[in-house]
Amino acid sequence: MKIILLLGIILVFGTGNAQEIQLKEAKPGEVPFTYDANVFSKVEIESVAKQVVEEGSFPEEAPAHSCFHLRDKRSFPALEKGPRYFQPAYNVVCVIPLTDESVTDFAKSYPQLNNAAMKLRRLLARRPARFRFDKDLIDMPFNNATGVIESKVQYLNFKTGRGVLFLTQYSQETESNPINNEELTADFQGLSNDGKYYIAARLAVTHPSLPKGIDFTDKIKRDKKLLYLRKQEQALNGYADDSFQPSLRALKSMISSISTN
């Protein structure tokens, strides 16, 4: 299998000042891809071992697969203060097989992944403007938190498949943190056309209108109806793709170049 990702083949990061992207090639094992050295310092490959479902455990099951971690050059103030409870955004692309010859029943060995693929297939056929986590889409890889918003929902084709890209922020709390620049995440969930791979990406995204991080959200009033989240969700929908950092246009360009051939 050869996966190719091309990031930053346009010259836009933000609206006012176009910045030339510094392309840097990385060849971790058999999976070469190009990323923007203005945003990411390096890429590291993680070989994730096979894990089948076990009774009473979190549904983290998946066949052996690879994830590619892009190290961000941006600072995250909350992380500098040491470990605390929140859901910081990070940068990772995972390519997860939907077949495994070592098991007799894939659906039984990997029920969460199998269910996620079926729901995503239905979602991509319907292409709704909004969807609900768990009911319409199971976010992969497993995350012991749920998305609290779905902004900038866009359906994209990549070289060998298709998927959905959206902005979200994860939380386990009833009243989650207001949307901020340490937790906002661009999430892509996709399937290869041949049905052999699930492509999942989570990428840290910021916007100048948002609080710098969780320590800058105290003045935003929270309410049990989550109106503060809905207000921010609607605001994000109204912003241009190029007003985000990195530009959503650049991220879409990266995703559209993925090939599983």
Side-chain angles (χ1 to χ4, degrees), residues 103 119 175:
V103 300
K119 288 192 175 187
E175 296 179 16

Side-chain angles (χ1 to χ4, degrees), residues 13-16 74 179-182 184 205-213 216 232 235-236 239-247:
F13 272 128
T15 51
R74 292 168 291 178
I179 309 305
N180 64 84
N181 280 336
E182 289 175 324
L184 182 63
V205 177
T206 63
H207 193 273
S209 70
L210 294 174
K212 294 179 181 179
F216 299 85
Q232 289 184 300
L236 289 174
Y239 297 140
D241 284 0
D242 290 339
S243 65
F244 292 86
Q245 171 75 19
S247 163

Side-chain angles (χ1 to χ4, degrees), residues 130-163:
R130 289 188 58 82
F131 56 83
R132 287 169 290 182
F133 281 98
D134 295 329
K135 183 173 183 178
D136 301 315
L137 180 142
I138 299 176
D139 202 11
M140 297 299 293
F142 174 77
N143 186 6
N144 192 25
T146 190
V148 296
I149 64 167
E150 301 93 45
S151 288
K152 305 291 285 186
V153 176
Q154 302 173 62
Y155 292 89
L156 304 175
N157 292 331
F158 56 96
K159 284 188 175 180
T160 55
R162 57 181 178 155

Side-chain angles (χ1 to χ4, degrees), residues 176-191:
S176 70
N177 291 330
I179 309 305
N180 64 84
N181 280 336
E182 289 175 324
E183 297 182 295
L184 182 63
T185 301
D187 191 333
F188 179 75
Q189 303 285 303
L191 295 169

